[in-house]
């Protein structure tokens, strides 16, 4: 197909040229939004650094009880000082996270598949916009499945949530899932992140890949990067650094924090790499120091 061949041609992504329509707002592509949207986005992206540390612990929505997340009430609140935004389900937030913690909220609003199924790509919008408003959600997270059986319904879900979000000034985060039949290439991520952004969401969550700078450059809204499977702390901090260097507006990290031997110290180190310019190696050195001080 000619349209697909087009994707193979190298393009100039102007990776060194800053985004042109930034204005004075810290969030890429969001300068033209109204006050309410910008207020929520400022609860997510630190106005000074323009970055965010989201902490994802929504795994239970399709994995059930997950290693490291057996007791949300015990494990999650101590991470609060180093986390800008909780990414979680309404069930986890309402039951286990004290409402007097001031972290932002990325509310998972889709669900419908579980680990025991072959095809994880069939989801529905499970949370009404009224409940997102009641929970003071700063954004609503919708899973998308480009190139999988559930593509059409997931993009319908995304569009419904984006439309409701615009009615009430709540941003939407499109989460790019990688189906079994897809490869984690820049070609796939350029396709998926751009489709999701053009459907109107204000944040895209995706994975790190080769030529990540080009993926970021071609996406007109901020990209936050999922941590993915558990790595060593050293490698996870190096990946965090590479994401930030590559233009990511932050991370949305789960397992590499909550499955760490020392989740609080890991969250602290990730925070320093994302917001305060530490390299991966410096972040790891900090992690080790914090761990030894905690003994
Ligand atoms: C699933 C998600 C999860 O929140 C996210 O992937 C979990 O984070 P991690 O991969 O870092 O454990 O969005 O699509």
């Amino acid at each position: 197909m000619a349209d697909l061949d087009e994707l193979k041609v190298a393009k100039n992504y102007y990776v060194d040229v800053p985004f042109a329509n930034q204005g004075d707002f810290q969030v890429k592509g969001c300068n033209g939004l109204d006050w309410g949207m910008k207020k929520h986005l400022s609860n997510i992206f630190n106005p000074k650094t323009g970055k965010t540390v989201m902490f994802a612990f929504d795994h239970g929505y399709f994995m059930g009880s997950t290693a490291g997340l057996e007791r949300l009430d015990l494990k999650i609140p101590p991470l609060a000082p180093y986390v800008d935004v909780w990414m979680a389900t309404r069930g986890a937030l309402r039951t286990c996270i004290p409402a007097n913690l001031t972290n932002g909220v990325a509310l998972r609003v889709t669900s419908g598949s579980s680990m025991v199924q072959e095809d994880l790509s069939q989801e529905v919008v499970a949370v009404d916009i009224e409940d997102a408003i009641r929970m003071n959600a700063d954004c609503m997270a919708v899973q998308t499945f480009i190139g999988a059986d559930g593509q059409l319904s997931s993009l319908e879900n995304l569009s419904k949530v984006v439309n409701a979000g615009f009615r009430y000034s709540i941003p939407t985060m499109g989460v790019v899932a990688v189906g079994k039949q897809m490869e984690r290439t820049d070609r796939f991520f350029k396709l998926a992140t751009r489709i999701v952004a053009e459907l109107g969401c204000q944040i895209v969550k995706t994975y790190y890949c080769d030529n990540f700078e080009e993926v970021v450059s071609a996406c007109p809204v901020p990209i936050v990067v999922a941590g993915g499977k558990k790595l060593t702390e050293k490698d996870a901090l190096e990946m965090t650094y590479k994401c930030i260097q590559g233009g990511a507006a932050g991370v949305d990290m789960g397992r590499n924090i909550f499955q760490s031997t020392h989740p609080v110290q890991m969250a602290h180190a990730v925070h320093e790499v994302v917001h305060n310019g530490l390299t991966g190696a410096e972040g790891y050195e900090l992690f080790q120091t914090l761990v030894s001080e905690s003994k």
Side-chain angles (χ1 to χ4, degrees):
M1 250 167 93
D3 287 354
L4 286 182
D5 290 345
E6 180 74 3
L7 286 173
K8 293 179 194 154
V9 180
K11 300 282 189 215
N12 191 344
Y13 290 92
Y14 299 96
V15 291
D16 295 326
V17 181
F19 186 69
N21 192 30
Q22 190 81 28
D24 62 357
F25 192 55
Q26 78 273 18
V27 186
K28 184 180 182 181
C30 295
N31 191 39
L33 299 176
D34 76 352
W35 194 91
M37 281 267 185
K38 284 178 159 176
K39 185 71 181 142
H40 281 303
L41 287 164
S42 296
N43 289 341
I44 298 173
F45 297 99
N46 181 313
K48 290 201 181 95
T49 65
K51 305 276 190 300
T52 190
V53 176
M54 284 191 191
F55 172 63
F57 61 102
D58 59 335
H59 303 60
Y61 101 90
F62 73 107
M63 293 169 83
S65 171
T66 311
L69 292 182
E70 297 85 350
R71 286 290 301 267
L72 301 175
D73 57 322
L74 302 178
K75 196 74 172 266
I76 309 303
L79 304 174
Y82 308 109
V83 164
D84 297 296
V85 180
W86 305 124
M87 183 197 181
T89 61
R90 60 181 170 181
L93 287 163
R94 278 204 170 99
T95 56
C96 301
I97 307 302
N100 59 3
L101 294 175
T102 55
N103 314 68
V105 168
L107 183 65
R108 160 70 63 187
V109 299
T110 55
S111 78
S113 297
S114 72
M115 285 296 279
V116 291
Q117 294 172 292
E118 271 290 303
D119 179 9
L120 290 173
S121 73
Q122 310 294 339
E123 294 199 344
V124 295
V125 178
V127 178
D128 291 341
I129 186 71
E130 287 79 7
D131 209 29
I133 295 167
R134 273 191 290 271
M135 296 203 66
N136 200 24
D138 292 303
C139 72
M140 299 174 286
V142 175
Q143 206 74 0
T144 64
F145 301 91
I146 309 296
D149 287 347
Q151 174 172 315
L152 176 62
S153 62
S154 74
L155 296 185
E156 185 184 19
N157 293 342
L158 180 68
S159 302
K160 280 183 186 159
V161 173
V162 168
N163 286 331
F166 273 120
R167 278 203 296 283
Y168 298 100
S169 284
I170 303 183
T172 301
M173 178 163 78
V175 180
V176 171
V178 187
K180 283 186 191 137
Q181 59 278 57
M182 305 309 292
E183 289 183 17
R184 292 179 181 229
T185 59
D186 59 323
R187 185 169 183 237
F188 170 70
F189 289 122
K190 281 171 190 159
L191 173 80
T193 57
R194 185 62 174 264
I195 289 174
V196 169
E198 295 221 12
L199 285 179
C201 62
Q202 290 75 26
I203 309 166
V204 173
K205 172 174 173 172
T206 189
Y207 291 88
Y208 185 74
C209 62
D210 290 341
N211 295 322
F212 181 70
E213 311 73 38
E214 291 185 356
V215 179
V216 170
S217 210
C219 182
V221 296
I223 286 186
V224 295
V225 183
K229 284 186 186 149
K230 175 75 175 73
L231 307 169
T232 64
E233 280 79 3
K234 188 167 186 276
D235 287 349
L237 288 161
E238 188 57 34
M239 186 189 73
T240 303
Y241 176 66
K242 284 190 192 158
C243 293
I244 298 300
Q245 289 298 106
V251 292
D252 186 7
M253 189 173 270
R255 286 163 286 183
N256 278 292
I257 293 177
F258 67 72
Q259 290 180 346
S260 167
T261 50
H262 296 82
V264 174
Q265 290 78 2
M266 185 61 180
H268 190 158
V270 169
H271 182 279
E272 294 303 310
V273 173
V274 169
H275 286 297
N276 291 326
L278 264 59
T279 63
E282 288 166 343
Y284 184 57
E285 205 180 313
L286 173 67
F287 171 74
Q288 288 177 304
T289 306
L290 293 168
V291 169
S292 53
E293 283 173 1
S294 71
K295 286 179 183 158

